[in-house]
Amino acid sequence: MTKKVYLDHAHLLHLLKAMIRIRHFEAKCVELYQAQKILGFLHLYDGEEAVSVGVMEALTPEDAIIATYREHGQALARGVDPKCLMAEMMGKLNGCCRGRGGSMHFFDRKRRFYGGNAIVGGGLPLALGVALADKMQRRSAVTACFFGEGAVDEGEFHETLNLAKLWRLPILFVCENNLYSMGMAVERAEADIDFVHKASGYRVAGEKVDGMDVVAVESAARNAIDRIRSENDPYFLECRTYRFRAHSMFDAQLYRSKEEVEAWRKKGPILRFQTWLEANRLIKPEEIAAMEKEIDFEIAEAVAYAEAGGLEPISELERFVTMDEVPA
Amino acid sequence: MNAPEPTFTPNRMTYREACKQALREALLSDPRVFLMGEDIGRYGGCYAVTKGLLEEFGEERIRDTPLSESAFVGAGVGAAMAGMRPIVEIMTVNFSLLALDQILNNAVTIPHMSGGQFAIPLVIRMATGGGRRVAAQHSRSLEGWYAHIPGLRVLTPATVEDARFMLKSALADPNPVIIFEHVMLYNMEGDFPSDMKEVDIARAKVHRAGRDVSLITYGGSLFKALQAADALSSEGIDAEVIDLRTLRPLDTKTIIDSVARTRRCVIIDEGWRSGSISAEVGMRIAEEAFFELDAPLRRVCSREAPIPYAAHLEDACLPQAATIVAVARELVRPS
Ligand SMILES: Cc1ncc(C[n+]2csc(CCOP(=O)(O)OP(=O)(O)O)c2C)c(N)n1
Ligand SMILES: [Mg+2]
């Protein structure tokens, strides 16, 4: 029985807005990167927005999230304040992690956002622990664990799926299969590219979903979460998606053709959803314009907040290397 | 096969029993505490430390794990972030290399990198050290490596008293703590004052006071150093023996105070010499007490080779009392 997503007008607008927010936020990040206000690595989520937006719709505030270094989308869709995110990217003290993590390491304790992790596969074991802690403390929360298909190459993926099933932990594994890990095409890295089949090797149930279709992702995630809660079991969702831009900011993209990227762009999640809404007269052009204006205003505010932010004093550099107490 | 369990007074026991009592006390006093590791439940622990705990506390709190060091150590990190107080056992330090990513990249990094949003109150226990004729892959002493890492507390209980009480301090610490139990100590018996409730892990301990030379060590080498001190005393050399107890953060003050008194120092470390904790101790003395010294700093470390199986070769690899005696004697009475 698949659950229908209740597509009222407000919800449709909300989904579109959440995706456009991520897209515009990142477009601003690129500008700031070029202006050298954002430094280091910057992994854009351009093309993959439907995945985090769709999944996040199915989660409650009690649920937990674990993400990768490509986590701008997850953080924004989870409702982490764009101001703190932008400030974090710019290395400011008013950033979500005081400017210590940057683009790859957003954390937000209040939203149970357990981090962007820059070790491929490194977040998966953490998901076990968070889910185990919830289970042992008799909380009904689910942990959504996002990772790229490259993480499936790592041993930690296999150890984690096995333990999740063995201990019947409430984890939603979200594999963002964008077909490449850096320049490594999935079929050149994995002997079996049927990830749902792989998960079933650990007796973790799962399904493949079109990660370019936000409604399909939301629907699949809602069903998955219901199933996790009712059957007390992990679930595996493979979201088929595509990264439109470079892996990070330094990438000549020698491993794929422009035509391939263009073909995928035509299937882009925002383009596709917006076109569908327009064709079915579910949204008015002025609604889109108003939405974009609001988003751009939000982002301008975020940039202003970040620009105004101070720098963490060097004297605080060693603060929190060890903690004085466990935060309440 | 099974020898009857020896019975001891409440404050006299083996090191193994002390470790177990510490775990029992932790499980009884805090419902957030649970144990995870390979063969800690039905098997009773590869060094029999956790024997009986499964029966007493049940499967939810005494969790046998598959052979997935990275996954279950990472699970410990995640559980600590989400409100639990996990105690993870890795059979031996040799296998901890498969979990190094979780220890270094997550456990000790997230508190700082998240701007102090998360603490990781995780305790990891593991056996360390050589001497059991089990060849290179089971005999390493890597506690010095771990002591390199900011954010980690590294405890090396060498006495029954420390085995019994260091865990309590480790659990009170909001940071990741690794406890290294030397494999040669589990059968050792010892006692402690019957009214003892806790130990101070911030201080190194002067086990034996002396005037002529400081023997600075930790873990399994402590007893070799004490043996060496006895032998030296019969030659009229009065050695002081210091047990570092905590390799990170180091109690530099106790070290410096001792060396300032004796003016000579031998550091004994079962790790390899290059880049070792003994190098760190020596450098701190050089930085802070150079002008107190009457003789060059000396070290007795493991030979720089994988530890072989054959008994004579293994013995030659590890620090031994006789070597300590020879090195100390040469310092005090140069030939
Ligand atoms: C353990 C580890 N190995 C290598 C890297 C370098 N690296 C960073 S991202 C990446 C590709 C990962 O691809 P995937 O998991 O598919 O995620 P995507 O970037 O496609 O979102 C690699 C190899 C790393 N960060 N961690
Ligand atoms: Mg990928």
Side-chain angles (χ1 to χ4, degrees):
Chain A
M1 259 281 292
T2 52
K3 195 162 160 178
K4 282 261 154 24
V5 176
Y6 190 58
L7 291 174
D8 64 14
H9 184 244
H11 189 62
L12 292 172
L13 289 192
H14 167 78
L15 290 176
L16 182 64
K17 189 171 182 180
M19 290 196 291
I20 294 178
R21 178 182 291 113
I22 298 169
R23 183 75 56 94
H24 286 205
F25 181 89
E26 289 200 317
K28 180 56 77 179
C29 292
V30 172
E31 269 177 44
L32 293 165
Y33 195 87
Q34 280 153 357
Q36 296 187 18
K37 292 189 174 178
I38 295 175
L39 305 173
F41 288 138
L42 183 67
H43 303 91
L44 301 176
Y45 200 53
D46 192 358
E48 309 187 34
E49 295 90 344
V51 177
S52 63
V53 169
V55 170
M56 239 35 104
E57 284 306 308
L59 303 184
T60 68
E62 288 71 42
D63 295 329
I65 292 126
I66 287 175
T68 71
Y69 50 85
R70 196 184 299 287
E71 89 289 34
H72 307 155
Q74 282 79 4
L76 287 166
R78 180 58 170 180
V80 183
D81 187 348
K83 291 197 198 76
C84 303
L85 298 181
M86 194 59 90
E88 185 61 29
M89 300 253 215
M90 287 169 57
K92 297 297 184 74
L93 181 57
N94 56 355
C96 60
C97 302
R98 306 165 71 90
R100 291 164 168 209
S103 156
M104 301 188 285
H105 303 294
F106 295 157
F107 287 81
D108 186 348
R109 184 186 179 80
K110 282 202 297 293
R111 287 178 185 75
R112 300 205 78 196
F113 198 87
Y114 288 91
N117 203 305
I119 305 298
V120 173
L124 281 132
L126 295 183
L128 289 173
V130 172
L132 179 62
D134 284 335
K135 186 172 171 161
M136 290 182 79
Q137 290 167 101
R138 311 284 179 257
R139 297 190 289 242
S140 66
V142 169
T143 298
C145 178
F146 291 84
F147 53 92
E149 89 295 339
V152 177
D153 307 354
E154 298 281 359
E156 286 182 320
F157 170 85
H158 301 271
E159 293 187 8
T160 299
L161 257 76
N162 179 54
L163 251 177
K165 178 67 189 188
L166 197 66
W167 287 355
R168 307 202 68 155
L169 297 176
I171 302 176
L172 175 61
F173 292 102
V174 186
C175 176
E176 306 186 290
N177 183 2
N178 60 11
L179 308 182
Y180 292 92
S181 54
M182 288 183 64
M184 190 65 164
V186 60
E187 67 278 2
R188 295 180 59 232
E190 286 286 319
D192 175 7
I193 57 169
D194 184 343
F195 294 118
V196 175
H197 180 239
K198 264 193 219 288
S200 76
Y202 300 101
R203 303 182 62 198
V204 174
E207 71 189 277
K208 210 179 286 190
V209 61
D210 181 353
M212 300 310 238
D213 177 348
V214 69
V215 176
V217 174
E218 180 183 343
S219 164
R222 283 190 185 279
N223 283 311
I225 298 271
D226 281 356
R227 196 191 143 111
I228 291 167
R229 290 197 217 275
S230 65
E231 306 203 0
N232 238 323
D233 234 3
Y235 196 81
F236 183 89
L237 209 55
E238 177 194 345
C239 301
R240 288 298 213 107
T241 182
Y242 197 79
R243 146 170 77 67
F244 292 163
R245 304 221 201 185
H247 165 73
S248 178
M249 299 307 275
F250 329 96
D251 171 4
Q253 301 192 62
L254 302 172
Y255 50 85
R256 61 183 188 182
S257 67
K258 288 206 169 63
E259 295 71 37
E260 179 182 308
V261 179
E262 276 321 302
W264 274 97
R265 266 194 193 279
K266 294 201 179 83
K267 300 189 260 184
I270 296 176
L271 179 66
R272 177 166 162 186
F273 189 52
Q274 190 171 318
T275 308
W276 178 78
L277 290 172
E278 286 165 347
N280 290 284
R281 300 183 195 289
L282 293 165
I283 197 165
K284 300 191 198 93
E286 57 270 28
E287 282 176 312
I288 296 176
M291 175 185 290
E292 290 190 326
K293 207 172 146 195
E294 265 175 54
I295 288 167
D296 291 341
F297 181 74
E298 232 180 73
I299 292 168
E301 269 189 334
V303 174
Y305 174 85
E307 296 271 17
L311 298 174
E312 179 162 32
I314 290 170
S315 59
E316 299 257 291
L317 180 64
E318 275 135 10
R319 193 164 165 210
F320 309 125
V321 168
T322 53
M323 300 284 289
D324 297 332
E325 57 183 10
V326 177
Chain B
M1 271 297 289
N2 285 344
E5 292 268 324
T7 46
F8 294 120
T9 52
N11 55 335
R12 179 163 183 82
M13 60 187 71
T14 60
Y15 184 95
R16 168 183 295 106
E17 177 65 20
C19 292
K20 181 197 291 186
Q21 287 201 10
L23 291 168
R24 255 197 97 228
E25 180 185 46
L27 285 155
L28 288 170
S29 61
D30 186 345
R32 298 170 303 178
V33 169
F34 69 101
L35 272 48
M36 267 193 288
E38 291 159 5
D39 274 321
I40 63 166
R42 291 235 186 124
Y43 189 94
C46 62
Y47 293 100
V49 168
T50 50
K51 198 164 140 216
L53 296 181
L54 174 65
E55 291 72 14
E56 185 174 359
F57 295 98
E59 288 196 337
E60 186 167 50
R61 297 183 74 196
I62 310 296
R63 307 186 82 96
D64 274 320
T65 65
L67 305 178
S68 305
E69 284 80 6
S70 193
F72 69 75
V73 171
V77 179
M81 288 173 84
M84 301 298 284
R85 292 289 183 278
I87 302 175
V88 174
E89 173 176 316
I90 301 177
M91 282 184 166
T92 79
V93 67
N94 308 279
F95 320 140
S96 77
L97 303 185
L98 283 89
L100 203 46
D101 170 47
Q102 289 300 324
I103 296 171
L104 179 50
N105 283 316
N106 285 340
V108 299
T109 301
I110 287 173
H112 186 265
M113 193 164 69
S114 68
Q117 291 184 72
F118 293 94
I120 317 274
L122 167 68
V123 176
I124 304 174
R125 302 172 39 243
M126 52 180 107
T128 187
R132 296 185 71 239
R133 319 305 187 208
V134 287
Q137 293 175 340
H138 282 78
S139 303
R140 305 194 197 281
S141 288
L142 302 178
E143 50 282 348
W145 278 18
Y146 283 99
H148 179 63
I149 303 173
L152 207 54
R153 189 186 287 277
V154 177
L155 305 181
T156 53
T159 60
V160 169
E161 168 181 315
D162 278 347
R164 175 65 187 82
F165 295 107
M166 273 187 166
L167 180 70
K168 191 172 174 183
S169 313
L171 283 165
D173 191 327
N175 301 291
V177 180
I178 303 187
I179 303 180
F180 287 96
E181 298 162 10
H182 196 285
V183 286
M184 297 305 281
L185 300 179
Y186 285 119
N187 291 327
M188 175 187 72
E189 287 176 28
D191 46 26
F192 47 85
S194 56
D195 57 351
M196 192 163 207
K197 294 265 184 303
E198 54 196 8
V199 290
D200 175 9
I201 55 172
R203 297 262 81 91
K205 183 170 172 179
V206 181
H207 268 269
R208 173 195 170 115
R211 286 169 288 119
D212 299 330
V213 58
S214 299
L215 307 180
I216 301 177
T217 189
Y218 68 92
S221 301
L222 172 64
F223 301 93
K224 296 174 180 172
L226 287 167
Q227 231 180 306
D230 280 344
L232 287 165
S233 101
S234 68
E235 298 178 20
I237 295 174
D238 189 16
E240 176 147 307
V241 177
I242 292 187
D243 174 7
L244 293 170
R245 299 175 69 239
T246 298
L247 301 191
R248 185 178 190 102
L250 272 176
D251 172 14
T252 311
K253 182 173 185 302
T254 301
I255 297 169
I256 300 298
D257 288 353
S258 171
V259 173
R261 272 194 308 275
T262 62
R263 312 183 85 84
R264 291 175 191 85
C265 167
V266 183
I267 307 154
I268 304 106
D269 175 7
E270 204 178 305
W272 291 302
R273 173 189 299 256
S274 306
S276 62
I277 189 72
S278 64
E280 179 60 29
V281 171
M283 193 61 204
R284 289 198 189 194
I285 295 169
E287 283 171 338
E288 296 183 35
F290 185 77
F291 295 107
E292 312 287 341
L293 292 171
D294 281 348
L297 295 166
R298 296 299 304 273
R299 282 186 281 170
V300 177
C301 299
S302 280
R303 297 276 283 268
E304 304 231 336
I307 293 178
Y309 157 71
H312 69 296
L313 294 176
E314 175 166 50
D315 290 345
C317 263
L318 301 175
Q320 302 295 353
T323 331
I324 303 168
V325 169
V327 171
R329 184 195 296 128
E330 179 65 25
L331 263 191
V332 180
R333 295 186 190 136
S335 48

